[in-house]
Amino acid sequence: MKRTKLIASITMIGAVTLLLVLMLGGKEKQPATGFAAHRVIAHAMGGINDKAYTNTKDAFIANYEQGTRIFEADLLLTSDEQLVARHEWTTGMSKKLGQQEVLPPDKQGEVLTHDEVMNSPVLELYSPLDIEKIVNLMEIYPDTYIVTDTKELEPQQVTKQFQLIVEAARKKDPALLERIVPQIYSREMLEVVKQVYAFPEIIYTLYQTEDSDEVVIEFVKQTGVDITMPTTRATKSFVRNLKKAGARVYVHTVNDEQEIVELSRLGVHGFYTDFVPENDLNRIKGLR
């Protein structure tokens, strides 16, 4: 009798253990959803016809058609305080964008007005974007996300930029705000952004900070932000500890497929890139 009870007890314990293993294993294998489901972030809306930094509608659509769903937009304030998609106000950028003929010489290195930006085709072909046109694209393509690269560090300017972002999204559809992911450039910037709107996802970009690895890891533990960094800072131990702290880790800007494989082996989750669309990750051998 005792032997029978012992066998029954062992059988029950085994069954419960197996059930727990299956349940926990099932949870671990659940695919990511939403923002976390994607690994490619199209830098400056992604490259188009071997050209980077265009920040144009055409680049967005071209990369969307190749499976990319997260798009980084460079956002600058114009001289009349509107928000447009442009990487920088320099003569070199005007040349890179092929705007020598459409902009007067004295305007090619200056901060432009909103109308000057929007009436200056990029590379003679492509349509510039402002924040209103960006949120229009988000409405038309409801599975996309926008990562902001606003560049400003001064709190007043940061506040102005994000007020314009929030205003444009709310005017179109407040739900769009759930698919906008601010990049912050310092730990202090997080509170400035949160005072405008509590975005569900935040990425802390490390290229301008002097924070040590330890300070960044502690900040992740305290705030739950994700991290992006230059490839030169992505070491195996730093990436591992960031992930243990709860962050998804991204690197920028990577266009070489072998480098993407090597970084993925370090534990990197995603990649800012000009020319590697999301669909291409499915064919890259050795990607983790």
Coordinates of all heavy atoms in Angstrom, one line a residue, residues 77 81 150-162 185-186 188-189 192-193 208:
L77 N 14.0 71.9 -36.2 CA 13.1 73.0 -36.2 C 13.6 74.0 -37.3 O 14.8 74.3 -37.5 CB 13.2 73.8 -34.9 CG 12.5 73.1 -33.7 CD1 12.8 73.8 -32.4 CD2 11.0 73.1 -33.9
E81 N 10.1 77.8 -36.8 CA 9.7 76.9 -35.7 C 8.6 75.8 -36.1 O 7.7 75.6 -35.3 CB 9.2 77.7 -34.5 CG 10.4 78.5 -33.9 CD 10.1 78.9 -32.4 OE1 9.0 79.4 -32.1 OE2 11.0 78.6 -31.6
T150 N 15.9 63.9 -32.7 CA 15.7 65.4 -32.7 C 16.9 66.2 -32.5 O 16.8 67.4 -32.6 CB 14.6 65.7 -31.6 OG1 15.1 65.1 -30.4 CG2 13.3 65.1 -31.9
K151 N 18.0 65.6 -32.0 CA 19.3 66.2 -32.0 C 19.5 67.3 -30.9 O 20.6 67.5 -30.4 CB 19.7 66.8 -33.4 CG 19.7 65.7 -34.4 CD 20.2 66.1 -35.7 CE 20.0 65.0 -36.8 NZ 20.6 63.7 -36.4
E152 N 18.5 68.1 -30.6 CA 18.6 69.2 -29.7 C 18.9 68.7 -28.2 O 18.4 67.6 -27.8 CB 17.3 70.0 -29.6 CG 17.0 70.8 -30.9 CD 18.0 72.0 -31.1 OE1 18.7 72.3 -30.2 OE2 18.0 72.5 -32.2
L153 N 19.7 69.4 -27.5 CA 20.0 69.1 -26.1 C 19.4 70.1 -25.1 O 19.2 69.7 -24.0 CB 21.5 69.0 -25.9 CG 22.2 68.0 -26.8 CD1 23.7 68.1 -26.5 CD2 21.7 66.6 -26.5
E154 N 19.2 71.3 -25.5 CA 18.7 72.4 -24.7 C 17.3 72.1 -24.3 O 16.4 71.9 -25.2 CB 18.9 73.7 -25.3 CG 18.8 74.9 -24.4 CD 17.4 75.3 -24.1 OE1 16.6 75.3 -25.0 OE2 17.1 75.6 -22.9
P155 N 16.9 72.0 -23.0 CA 15.6 71.6 -22.6 C 14.4 72.4 -23.3 O 13.4 71.7 -23.7 CB 15.6 71.8 -21.1 CG 17.0 71.7 -20.7 CD 17.8 72.2 -21.9
Q156 N 14.5 73.7 -23.5 CA 13.5 74.4 -24.1 C 13.2 74.0 -25.5 O 12.1 73.9 -26.0 CB 13.8 75.9 -24.0 CG 12.6 76.8 -24.5 CD 12.9 78.3 -24.4 OE1 14.0 78.7 -23.8 NE2 12.1 79.1 -24.8
Q157 N 14.3 73.8 -26.3 CA 14.2 73.3 -27.6 C 13.6 71.9 -27.7 O 12.8 71.6 -28.6 CB 15.5 73.4 -28.4 CG 16.1 74.8 -28.6 CD 15.2 75.6 -29.5 OE1 14.2 76.2 -29.1 NE2 15.5 75.6 -30.8
V158 N 14.1 71.0 -26.8 CA 13.5 69.6 -26.8 C 12.0 69.7 -26.5 O 11.3 69.0 -27.2 CB 14.3 68.8 -25.7 CG1 13.6 67.5 -25.5 CG2 15.7 68.6 -26.0
T159 N 11.6 70.5 -25.5 CA 10.2 70.6 -25.2 C 9.4 71.1 -26.4 O 8.4 70.5 -26.7 CB 10.0 71.6 -24.1 OG1 10.7 71.1 -22.9 CG2 8.5 71.8 -23.8
K160 N 9.9 72.1 -27.1 CA 9.2 72.6 -28.3 C 9.1 71.5 -29.4 O 8.0 71.3 -30.0 CB 10.0 73.8 -28.9 CG 9.5 74.3 -30.2 CD 8.1 75.0 -30.0 CE 7.6 75.6 -31.3 NZ 6.2 76.2 -31.1
Q161 N 10.1 70.8 -29.6 CA 10.1 69.7 -30.6 C 9.0 68.7 -30.3 O 8.2 68.3 -31.2 CB 11.5 69.0 -30.8 CG 12.5 69.9 -31.5 CD 13.8 69.3 -31.6 OE1 14.4 68.8 -30.5 NE2 14.4 69.2 -32.8
F162 N 9.0 68.2 -29.1 CA 8.1 67.1 -28.7 C 6.7 67.7 -28.5 O 5.7 66.9 -28.8 CB 8.6 66.4 -27.5 CG 9.7 65.4 -27.8 CD1 11.0 65.7 -27.7 CD2 9.3 64.1 -28.3 CE1 12.0 64.8 -28.1 CE2 10.3 63.2 -28.7 CZ 11.6 63.6 -28.6
Y185 N 19.3 61.8 -25.5 CA 20.7 61.9 -25.7 C 21.4 62.1 -24.4 O 22.7 62.1 -24.3 CB 21.0 63.1 -26.6 CG 20.2 63.0 -27.9 CD1 19.1 63.8 -28.1 CD2 20.6 62.1 -28.9 CE1 18.3 63.6 -29.2 CE2 19.8 62.0 -30.0 CZ 18.7 62.7 -30.2 OH 17.9 62.6 -31.3
S186 N 20.7 62.2 -23.3 CA 21.2 62.3 -21.9 C 20.2 61.7 -21.0 O 19.0 61.6 -21.3 CB 21.6 63.7 -21.6 OG 20.4 64.5 -21.4
E188 N 19.2 63.2 -18.4 CA 18.3 64.3 -18.0 C 17.2 64.6 -19.0 O 16.1 65.0 -18.6 CB 19.2 65.6 -17.8 CG 20.2 65.6 -16.7 CD 21.4 64.7 -17.0 OE1 21.7 64.4 -18.2 OE2 22.1 64.3 -16.1
M189 N 17.4 64.2 -20.3 CA 16.4 64.5 -21.3 C 15.2 63.6 -21.1 O 14.1 64.0 -21.6 CB 17.1 64.2 -22.7 CG 16.1 64.6 -23.8 SD 17.0 64.4 -25.4 CE 15.6 64.4 -26.6
V192 N 12.5 65.6 -19.4 CA 12.0 66.7 -20.2 C 11.0 66.1 -21.2 O 9.9 66.7 -21.4 CB 13.2 67.3 -21.0 CG1 12.6 68.4 -21.9 CG2 14.2 67.9 -20.0
V193 N 11.3 65.0 -21.8 CA 10.3 64.4 -22.8 C 9.1 63.9 -22.0 O 8.0 64.1 -22.5 CB 11.0 63.2 -23.5 CG1 10.0 62.4 -24.4 CG2 12.1 63.7 -24.4
Q208 N 26.5 60.6 -27.7 CA 26.9 61.9 -27.2 C 27.2 61.9 -25.7 O 27.6 63.0 -25.2 CB 25.7 62.9 -27.5 CG 25.5 63.3 -28.9 CD 24.7 64.5 -29.1 OE1 24.7 65.5 -28.3 NE2 23.9 64.5 -30.2

